[in-house]
Amino acid sequence: MVRLTSRHDTTIVLVGDTKVGKSALLAKFRSGKFDSSYSKTNLESVTTSSIVQGQRVKFTIYDTSGKY
């Protein structure tokens, strides 16, 4: 049995130039599949949680457009 002592929130922001694969990286993380097709992104976020060293960690990942 895993004992959860506390919960931590972590925010990850994917930044980089346009068309470098930020959304593909997020899709790989989400579904385990790599998508090589390109689709324009404005701002997308995914929230998930996992147990890391006995503590629940909530991850919020933001995918940015790359044009800012």
Side-chain angles (χ1 to χ4, degrees):
M1 180 168 124
V2 176
R3 181 171 176 79
L4 302 177
T5 57
S6 64
R7 189 178 118 195
H8 300 279
D9 292 346
T10 302
T11 301
I12 300 168
V13 181
L14 301 176
V15 294
D17 291 337
T18 303
K19 300 181 182 178
V20 297
K22 298 178 301 292
S23 297
L25 180 65
L26 185 60
K28 174 75 172 167
F29 173 75
R30 185 185 309 163
S31 68
K33 298 178 182 175
F34 181 75
D35 183 10
S36 62
S37 65
Y38 174 76
S39 62
K40 185 177 176 182
T41 304
N42 287 323
L43 179 66
E44 184 179 339
S45 68
V46 173
T47 301
T48 188
S49 64
S50 185
I51 297 172
V52 178
Q53 295 182 349
Q55 298 184 12
R56 181 164 305 280
V57 179
K58 176 183 161 191
F59 295 96
T60 302
I61 304 169
Y62 292 95
D63 181 12
T64 61
S65 68
K67 68 177 183 176
Y68 297 106

